[in-house]
Amino acid sequence: MRARTRLAVGALGALTAAGLLTGCGEAGSSGTAAPEQGSSGAGCAPVAGDQLVVLTDDKKLQNTDNVIPAISAKAATPPLVAALDKVSAALDTAKLIELNRAVDVDRKTPQVAAKEFADANGLGQVDKGPGGQVTVGAANFSESQTIAELYKIALTSAGYQVKVQTIGSRELYEPALEKGEIQVVPEYAATMAEFLNTKANGKDAEPVSSPELDKTVAALKAAGDKVGISFGQASQAQDQNAFAVTRAFADKYQVATLSDLAAKCSGKATVLAGPPECPQRPKCQAGLVQVYDFRAGSFSSLDAGGPQTKNALKTGVASVGLVFSSDAALAAS
């Protein structure tokens, strides 16, 4: 569903320290790795269940990928920004999950899901601006398209003539935003900050995003200022990497946070599922080792927050898996 690159499975960077990934093992015929050295505990065997819950990232492994409007500086007038900020103020992660569920599970169109949300959250009541033509760009996944429709509703209410155009990847729409060919795009704070950072400073540039939202947004705005892109208010809605278990697993082992998982479930029976690059990535297994000292007994190479990982959790093949924090599959949790 998602086309954008995730920080959580991004470049390894500084976490290639010797010994960090010791014992990850080679993939076997089952797609799982051998147990990590040092995982001497019993661990927590998978528990099947239909409901998935995200474990709280209490030590802030992940950076802050909050939804935020990106605006061409040429179009960033106070009335336009204020209309977009009203959308940000109405969004949090739970509401974003429900929006995604409406589209991805209930099969409503992004337009219908956005209108229902806008009606329920007063997005049609926005102070009038000077009007004019506005093109809202969207990436080629449903969440971006739904948020773009929310922006359209708020901007239309403010007196603008708005169209939504699905453009594709960030590599395509970001230059159009710089040039003012499109005026607004839904963005994600940490991912966009690193995109602009590496575009300006090279792929090995020191990261500028942070687990602290204010720091990430400050770095994002500084990078945007250099290329003619402004940003509105960051919402409380986050779409970032997270680690999920089944509700049944959480109840059986009494785990609610990643610290709980590390304390109770490091050991041979625990199976971590994620994309093939997860063991080497600083926001995936490598980060779990460094930040939480969580050591799974084995790793199952599947996908990044996709159907394979979620199915492995629900069917009792994996104990914990990498998901996205706004996934519609979490709505019933």
Side-chain angles (χ1 to χ4, degrees), residues 202-332:
K203 64 182 180 66
D204 296 323
E206 187 72 18
V208 297
S209 59
S210 164
E212 303 298 331
L213 181 59
D214 289 348
K215 293 181 181 178
T216 296
V217 171
L220 174 62
K221 290 184 174 180
D225 286 344
K226 296 176 181 178
V227 294
I229 300 176
S230 297
F231 295 90
Q233 173 185 321
S235 73
Q236 291 303 304
Q238 294 183 327
D239 181 0
Q240 59 195 41
N241 295 294
F243 293 94
V245 298
T246 63
R247 172 72 71 186
F249 181 99
D251 290 344
K252 177 176 180 178
Y253 297 111
Q254 292 296 290
V255 295
T257 68
L258 288 175
S259 288
D260 293 339
L261 184 76
K264 298 179 180 182
C265 295
S266 288
K268 294 181 179 179
T270 305
V271 180
L272 171 65
E277 65 270 22
C278 181
Q280 290 80 35
R281 295 301 189 248
K283 303 297 182 181
C284 207
Q285 187 175 15
L288 288 173
V289 173
Q290 187 192 56
V291 175
Y292 287 98
D293 195 27
F294 168 65
R295 299 178 182 273
S298 60
F299 175 72
S300 183
S301 177
L302 298 173
D303 54 17
Q308 293 177 356
T309 295
K310 288 180 284 187
N311 186 61
L313 292 169
K314 291 181 178 181
T315 58
V317 173
S319 307
V320 57
L322 180 76
V323 299
F324 299 133
S325 61
S326 64
D327 196 302
L330 304 172

Side-chain angles (χ1 to χ4, degrees), residues 75-290:
T77 61
L80 184 140
V81 175
L84 297 171
D85 284 351
K86 187 153 187 176
V87 178
S88 292
L91 276 175
D92 60 23
T93 303
K95 290 178 179 177
L96 186 56
I97 288 171
E98 292 303 329
L99 276 168
N100 287 333
R101 182 173 180 81
V103 176
D104 299 334
V105 178
D106 299 336
R107 299 303 179 188
K108 297 177 181 178
T109 66
Q111 293 86 350
V112 169
K115 185 178 186 307
E116 291 177 351
F117 181 89
D119 290 345
N121 290 274
L123 297 185
Q125 302 167 11
V126 180
D127 292 340
K128 294 292 183 182
Q133 301 288 330
V134 174
T135 298
V136 178
N140 54 354
F141 59 95
S142 61
E143 180 177 286
S144 180
Q145 292 158 6
T146 304
I147 298 169
E149 292 294 337
L150 291 177
Y151 290 169
K152 177 182 178 180
I153 290 168
L155 290 168
T156 299
S157 180
Y160 296 91
Q161 292 76 52
V162 188
K163 67 176 181 179
V164 172
Q165 181 179 346
T166 298
I167 297 172
S169 69
R170 184 174 289 105
E171 287 78 6
L172 293 175
Y173 67 68
E174 188 274 336
L177 198 62
E178 286 189 24
K179 297 172 185 175
E181 295 171 351
I182 58 175
Q183 285 70 53
V184 181
V185 176
E187 260 300 348
Y188 300 86
T191 298
M192 184 59 161
E194 296 305 342
F195 178 87
L196 294 175
N197 177 36
T198 55
K199 184 178 179 180
N201 302 309
K203 64 182 180 66
D204 296 323
E206 187 72 18
V208 297
S209 59
S210 164
E212 303 298 331
L213 181 59
D214 289 348
K215 293 181 181 178
T216 296
V217 171
L220 174 62
K221 290 184 174 180
D225 286 344
K226 296 176 181 178
V227 294
I229 300 176
S230 297
F231 295 90
Q233 173 185 321
S235 73
Q236 291 303 304
Q238 294 183 327
D239 181 0
Q240 59 195 41
N241 295 294
F243 293 94
V245 298
T246 63
R247 172 72 71 186
F249 181 99
D251 290 344
K252 177 176 180 178
Y253 297 111
Q254 292 296 290
V255 295
T257 68
L258 288 175
S259 288
D260 293 339
L261 184 76
K264 298 179 180 182
C265 295
S266 288
K268 294 181 179 179
T270 305
V271 180
L272 171 65
E277 65 270 22
C278 181
Q280 290 80 35
R281 295 301 189 248
K283 303 297 182 181
C284 207
Q285 187 175 15
L288 288 173
V289 173
Q290 187 192 56

Side-chain angles (χ1 to χ4, degrees), residues 22-25 33-39 267-268 296-299:
T22 300
C24 282
E36 287 190 341
Q37 295 177 7
S39 299
K268 294 181 179 179
S298 60
F299 175 72

Side-chain angles (χ1 to χ4, degrees), residues 48-67:
D50 291 333
Q51 293 187 333
L52 300 182
V53 293
V54 165
L55 298 177
T56 300
D57 181 13
D58 52 307
K59 293 185 179 179
K60 297 184 177 180
L61 167 62
Q62 306 298 341
N63 287 344
T64 44
D65 240 354
N66 295 54
V67 175

